[in-house]
Amino acid sequence: MRLVSLLAIVLAILAAACGGGAADLSPLAAEGATLVRTEGCAACHGERGQGGVGPAWVGLHGSEVELADGSVVVADDEYLTRAITDPGAEQVAGYQVVMPGNDLDGDQVAAIVAYLKTLR
């Protein structure tokens, strides 16, 4: 078991004991929740995905997103994966800051997408 996965499980158990609600997350989504904090994503997107310098994640999955070029895309798994792996490819309308690149691997990106899907 990868250290990050084990850490995500431990954090989920601790959060549940403290009323954090992470017990409702699958192990993959719990790993994603850990990654968004440890990789710095929450600094711009908000600790609970409420947004800030970067777009909000709450209610994002499955919604329509307007891009800076005026086009509209659906925030499905493919879009979210692309936004994470190639953050400069499509700029969300109304946001001037371009998300920095990252070194996340495919499993980590899948975990983050799984977490984003839980934010309703």
Side-chain angles (χ1 to χ4, degrees):
M1 179 180 279
R2 291 182 4 192
L3 179 58
V4 172
S5 296
L6 181 58
L7 179 60
I9 292 168
V10 170
L11 288 174
I13 292 168
L14 289 173
C18 298
D24 296 338
L25 299 178
S26 70
L28 185 62
E31 179 179 348
T34 298
L35 285 166
V36 301
R37 286 188 302 277
T38 61
E39 296 297 319
C41 312
C44 292
H45 294 282
E47 191 62 35
R48 299 190 189 288
Q50 73 276 13
V53 174
W57 294 330
V58 175
L60 176 61
H61 188 266
S63 71
E64 291 186 341
V65 175
E66 182 181 355
L67 301 178
D69 66 5
S71 64
V72 176
V73 296
V74 174
D76 56 11
D77 290 13
E78 182 180 326
Y79 168 79
L80 294 173
T81 298
R82 186 172 60 251
I84 296 167
T85 59
D86 189 7
E90 298 169 317
Q91 186 74 18
V92 175
Y95 291 90
Q96 305 308 315
V97 176
V98 176
M99 187 172 114
N102 59 71
D103 293 325
L104 298 169
D105 65 33
D107 291 339
Q108 292 171 315
V109 172
I112 291 171
V113 170
Y115 173 63
L116 297 181
K117 290 167 71 171
T118 69
L119 299 176
R120 297 273 167 227

